[in-house]
Amino acid sequence: MALTRAGVRAEVGLAAEAGDCREIHHVAVLLGMGAGAVCPWLALETARGLNPEKAKRTCCTRLNWAWPR
C-alpha cells in the first residue's frame, strides 16, 4: 500500500517469497495481486528432502510449471 500511496507502484517489480505456495492457484493469486515472480521455497525444500536428485523437476511438475528440457 505504501508504494501505491507514494505513486511509485508501477515503477517497481515485486517478488513474492511464499512458504505456503503449494498449488498453481496460490501462484495465480500472487501474480494477480501484482507479484512479478514467485519463489515457493517450502515446496522446493520439501521436494529436495524427498528426492534430492529430482527435486526441482518434481516440484515444478506438481505445480504444473514448465520445466526446460
Side-chain angles (χ1 to χ4, degrees):
M1 292 296 289
L3 294 174
T4 303
R5 277 185 244 151
V8 295
R9 170 57 190 98
E11 299 175 21
V12 299
L14 299 176
E17 188 175 53
D20 58 349
C21 185
R22 296 181 309 274
E23 299 175 6
I24 195 68
H25 174 74
H26 299 152
V27 176
V29 170
L30 289 169
L31 294 175
M33 294 301 289
V38 178
C39 176
W41 63 269
L42 186 58
L44 292 171
E45 288 297 319
T46 301
R48 189 175 298 127
L50 294 173
N51 190 342
E53 295 177 11
K54 295 184 181 179
K56 288 183 183 177
R57 181 179 300 273
T58 301
C59 185
C60 290
T61 301
R62 296 289 183 243
L63 287 171
N64 199 22
W65 292 346
W67 182 259
R69 298 193 184 264

